[in-house]
Amino acid sequence: MAQPTPARTHLDWWRSAVIYQVYVRSFADGDGDGTGDLAGVRARLPYLAELGVDALWFTPWYLSPLKDGGYDVADYRAIDPAFGTLAEAEKLIAEAGELGIRTIVDIVPNHVSDQHSWFRAALAAGPGSPERELFHFRPGRGEHGELPPNDWPSQFAGSTEPVWTRLPDGEWYLHLFTPEQPDLNWAHPAVRREHEEVLRFWFERGVAGVRIDSAALLAKDPELPDFVEGRDPNPFVDRDELHDIYRSWRRVADDYDGIFVGEVWLPDTERFARYLRPDELHTAFNFAFLSCPWDPERLRTSIDETLAEHAPVGAPATWVLCNHDVTRTATRYGREDTAFAFATKAYGTPTDLVLGTRRARAAALLSLALPGAVYLYQGEELGLPEVEIPRDRIEDPMHFRSGGTDPGRDGCRVPLPWVADAPYAGFGSQQETWLPQPVNWSSYAADLQAEDSGSMLRLYREAIRLRPAFGDGPLTWRPAPDGVLHFVRQDGAAHCLVNLSATPVDLPDHSELLLGSGPLDPQGRLPQDTAVWLRA
Ligand code: NOJ
């Protein structure tokens, strides 16, 4: 049954927010050492305020050996010294708040770093110890325990590596990702208690929300049985026990008016929506939309399915085109296969960046006109392309765990270009950046784009400024020629049209053209791969 829509208050900011993802390591370098940091972010807060975003989501900034870009957390209550200090994080949260920008932190509950004090203690304490009960330690199979305890597949797409590692004392431990990311045992009360305290720790410091990493993986079948494709329930994905965990997290968040956004990759829309019930998570990332090809029917279906699956639980949709794990939008849309899938990532894929960029501009207007919250990934507003990183500079474990066939995810994590006429495109480094910037990187610099009314940056700024014209009500499709998406909101007062067909189309009657992703043709028609916003 549909939940009644509650009356809106400022506490509902997240229902229609524009949230900007900061990958700290690659955002801006304040101390010149080649790695982005909190000082760099603080210096660029005015840029983010001018862009007009409502909140920042920071990928993990905690103490970490950075074996998986910080998704291997050694201490949740400390900032990695490469990024700054806890005091600086507190200042950043406060300074952003003064500019009207909220902060979302990233919590990684499925696993910790192998350098986390709990795991070190578990290794030292040995088999059978209470310390090991916080993780999944098991004897191996086979005559001498030489075989892993089960056959679960790695959660790093394309990885051929096992999810178990054997210790010198003979026991094996489970890690769905790298061996440096041991999985926690969520059946243990201390694991639950600790995470609720970590949530409070960050809410007490003024954060407005928490992104939950790998949110559907925490709970495991206690028997750790082999994986059988299609068997229900799955031994480690989307288990029913998770909902009790998130209900209890929700009670913590409610004490602070905090919100959650879950990283929930699930093909089953009904199962997905369960996480968004009123006493669980507020929102979850829309990976179906992120993976959808540049195809009018598929996009429309994705939008309709998204809205339909969220409606019964009363949760707002989110619209995401890319993040730190996937191919950048301008590149993806410039390829023959415009869908995203980890399995199809490959070296040397032919790309038409002019085409991809035109579509990315149209997609920006499409997603920012839809009902719900929008996530932008740093550099998306600059139209950055995916970069093919030289193999000897790649750091992403996904590349190595695929045996070197998957280019990995570093191609979307290249340090941002800020100033065209400065070393390292003004990233702030005085020495080589942690990932190399390609030769033409300066041409995407924010300072150039700020001066160019036709730039991607100016399009995003304008779109975010004008977005309130679409209000917070529902969407209604209007009849449109084949290949054209046309919907209205605000009882028909605001229109969004996107032409994905080769035929230019006439615009409907309107009083004002608010914004276009590109020029109309000489006859005033909307050309291919172009979007407009109109006021009726
Ligand atoms: C999802 C994160 O987005 C990704 O970057 C990370 O590698 C895995 N979870 C494991 O934490």
Side-chain angles (χ1 to χ4, degrees):
M1 216 186 74
Q3 302 290 326
T5 310
R8 293 239 163 177
T9 70
H10 74 284
L11 295 178
D12 286 337
W13 66 273
W14 50 276
R15 298 188 79 91
S16 56
V18 177
I19 299 168
Y20 185 97
Q21 179 187 356
V22 179
Y23 194 80
V24 181
R25 211 177 173 189
S26 301
F27 184 74
D29 183 2
D31 65 4
D33 67 352
T35 290
D37 47 37
L38 301 190
V41 181
R42 287 173 65 200
R44 294 290 176 188
L45 284 174
Y47 168 88
L48 296 166
E50 196 171 0
L51 183 57
V53 299
D54 301 298
L56 305 176
W57 149 34
F58 290 93
T59 50
W61 54 16
Y62 322 104
L63 185 71
S64 166
L66 297 176
K67 295 290 182 198
D68 181 19
Y71 285 93
D72 47 322
V73 179
D75 182 352
Y76 274 111
R77 296 174 180 82
I79 300 292
D80 196 275
F83 300 147
T85 61
L86 183 59
E88 233 175 334
E90 289 168 349
K91 274 195 206 134
L92 170 50
I93 295 165
E95 287 165 359
E98 280 159 25
L99 295 170
I101 301 175
R102 292 175 160 92
T103 296
I104 295 176
V105 292
D106 202 329
I107 297 290
V108 190
N110 181 66
H111 43 267
V112 289
S113 160
D114 62 350
Q115 299 306 309
H116 189 282
S117 59
W118 280 9
F119 193 70
R120 291 163 69 118
L123 289 189
S129 61
E131 287 83 350
R132 288 206 174 181
E133 285 168 17
L134 299 172
F135 298 89
H136 299 285
F137 282 90
R138 289 288 188 284
R141 295 198 285 203
E143 206 180 326
H144 307 288
E146 72 283 9
L147 298 172
N150 70 25
D151 67 351
W152 292 359
S154 171
Q155 288 308 289
F156 268 145
S159 171
T160 47
E161 307 277 332
V163 297
W164 293 91
T165 291
R166 195 177 196 191
L167 296 165
D169 60 33
E171 279 206 321
W172 297 73
Y173 69 89
L174 174 72
H175 50 83
L176 291 181
F177 296 91
T178 73
E180 293 87 4
Q181 294 166 293
D183 280 45
L184 287 164
N185 172 14
W186 272 86
H188 198 299
V191 171
R192 289 185 63 153
R193 214 164 38 235
E194 166 66 0
H195 280 80
E196 292 183 13
E197 278 166 22
V198 167
L199 293 176
R200 287 192 190 278
F201 179 89
W202 286 104
F203 283 133
E204 291 286 341
R205 275 160 184 77
V207 310
V210 171
R211 179 248 188 205
I212 308 170
D213 186 73
S214 304
L217 299 180
L218 282 46
K220 314 285 181 328
D221 183 329
E223 303 299 322
L224 304 180
D226 276 344
F227 178 72
V228 179
E229 188 73 55
R231 184 198 282 166
D232 196 23
N234 185 305
F236 64 92
V237 183
D238 184 32
R239 295 181 61 81
D240 286 345
E241 303 90 286
L242 285 167
H243 297 286
D244 184 49
I245 296 172
Y246 293 134
R247 282 194 196 102
S248 144
W249 282 32
R250 177 64 179 251
R251 290 192 288 273
V252 175
D254 283 348
D255 285 348
Y256 302 90
D257 297 322
I259 65 110
F260 291 120
V261 53
E263 190 205 16
V264 184
W265 290 84
L266 287 181
D268 181 327
T269 57
E270 189 273 329
R271 299 283 310 181
F272 172 87
R274 289 181 187 210
Y275 291 83
L276 302 177
R277 288 176 290 197
D279 57 349
E280 297 192 38
L281 309 184
H282 304 72
T283 53
F285 294 115
N286 187 345
F287 292 116
F289 187 71
L290 176 151
S291 310
C292 186
W294 187 246
D295 172 276
E297 285 310 312
R298 299 279 298 274
L299 281 167
R300 183 171 166 158
T301 305
S302 175
I303 293 167
D304 283 341
E305 285 180 358
T306 297
L307 296 173
E309 83 199 13
H310 284 74
V313 285
T318 67
W319 307 101
V320 193
L321 293 172
C322 64
N323 65 27
H324 65 295
D325 291 331
V326 307
T327 309
R328 279 201 179 271
T329 318
T331 298
R332 171 162 69 91
Y333 285 152
R335 291 180 166 172
E336 194 186 329
D337 176 6
T338 52
F340 174 76
F342 286 105
T344 56
K345 288 186 75 184
Y347 279 99
T349 311
T351 306
D352 177 344
L353 265 186
V354 173
L355 175 67
T357 303
R358 191 164 72 233
R359 291 173 171 172
R361 292 174 65 91
L365 294 201
L366 170 64
S367 49
L368 284 160
L370 292 167
V374 174
Y375 278 82
L376 305 182
Y377 172 50
Q378 68 180 38
E380 186 177 340
E381 82 284 15
L382 301 175
L384 295 185
E386 185 79 5
V387 177
E388 210 151 271
I389 306 288
R391 285 176 194 256
D392 63 341
R393 296 291 300 276
I394 294 183
E395 297 212 2
D396 181 17
M398 193 179 267
H399 169 73
F400 300 105
R401 295 185 72 76
S402 73
T405 55
D406 186 316
R409 301 165 296 177
D410 286 343
C412 66
R413 300 173 177 179
V414 176
L416 292 193
W418 290 100
V419 184
D421 190 17
Y424 304 110
F427 180 60
S429 303
Q430 278 119 50
Q431 58 196 57
E432 182 62 70
T433 49
W434 77 277
L435 283 174
Q437 297 170 317
V439 275
N440 66 344
W441 214 227
S442 295
S443 64
Y444 293 98
D447 72 331
L448 288 185
Q449 296 205 30
E451 298 305 315
D452 173 3
S453 61
S455 69
M456 188 72 97
L457 178 59
R458 293 279 290 270
L459 179 73
Y460 266 98
R461 278 187 191 163
E462 269 305 280
I464 295 171
R465 190 177 69 79
L466 292 167
R467 177 174 144 83
F470 286 93
D472 56 17
L475 154 169
T476 311
W477 292 104
R478 285 283 166 90
D482 275 355
V484 178
L485 302 175
H486 179 188
F487 62 83
V488 294
R489 296 182 62 199
Q490 298 280 71
D491 296 323
H495 292 242
C496 175
L497 280 90
V498 191
N499 185 2
L500 290 92
S501 80
T503 315
V505 292
D506 290 322
L507 298 183
D509 282 343
H510 60 278
S511 61
E512 190 187 352
L513 194 156
L514 290 172
L515 190 59
S517 68
L520 299 178
D521 76 1
Q523 289 77 42
R525 296 172 305 183
L526 184 66
Q528 184 168 21
D529 292 330
T530 308
V532 279
W533 288 358
L534 308 173
R535 213 193 293 274

